[in-house]
Amino acid sequence: MGWRTADLILLSSRPAVTPMLHIKDGAVYANSRDVAKYFEKRHDNVLRDIDELLQHSSDLSGVYFSTNSKPHPLIKGRMDRTFEMTRDGFSLLAMGFTGPKALRFKIAYIEAYSFGQRLSPLRRS
């Protein structure tokens, strides 16, 4: 069984369903500011959502989310906080979002999972 043309067209014709990603130390990460921008949310609300996830499970810190703080460029004495998140951290966060882009992300996630399941017999051969 090979790749189905319909599956390849579906994957290649989809609009981007994730924010800007970057590579650090060989791993792929998303930044909380990019996530906020992509989902058209205020960054402070994204920080709040991540903080809530970390409150419920401190095991997520350092594994899925790592915090960065640097001096605010305009306000003396204020720190500017962001999070770097792994793919799994991003997925966990985004699954709690609502709105059109969040829905597109969730549908694409489900479709990619289903696509992977259809490919799994190929890995066994």
Side-chain angles (χ1 to χ4, degrees), residues 102-121:
L103 180 59
R104 282 198 303 272
F105 167 76
K106 293 171 191 178
I107 291 169
Y109 188 93
I110 291 166
E111 288 174 350
Y113 188 88
S114 297
F115 183 71
Q117 282 186 316
R118 288 195 300 274
L119 291 179
S120 64

Side-chain angles (χ1 to χ4, degrees), residues 14-110:
R14 302 290 267 159
V17 292
T18 63
M20 177 75 70
L21 303 173
H22 62 275
I23 298 174
K24 183 171 79 175
D25 299 327
V28 179
Y29 292 90
N31 182 276
S32 57
R33 286 202 178 279
D34 295 328
V35 171
K37 183 177 178 180
Y38 177 80
F39 285 104
E40 300 172 0
K41 297 192 175 297
R42 289 176 35 154
H43 186 242
D44 62 323
N45 291 337
V46 171
L47 292 177
R48 177 203 61 210
D49 293 346
I50 294 170
D51 287 337
E52 286 179 9
L53 288 171
L54 295 174
Q55 268 185 333
H56 292 293
S57 179
S58 60
D59 296 341
L60 301 175
S61 183
V63 178
Y64 294 144
F65 301 97
S66 60
T67 187
N68 297 311
S69 293
K70 61 181 181 179
H72 192 281
L74 302 175
I75 303 171
K76 186 176 174 127
R78 180 175 169 181
M79 296 301 286
D80 192 19
R81 185 169 68 117
T82 63
F83 280 94
E84 297 292 322
M85 62 196 83
T86 63
R87 179 201 63 204
D88 291 342
F90 166 73
S91 297
L92 185 62
L93 176 67
M95 287 297 177
F97 289 165
T98 59
K101 283 189 176 182
L103 180 59
R104 282 198 303 272
F105 167 76
K106 293 171 191 178
I107 291 169
Y109 188 93
I110 291 166

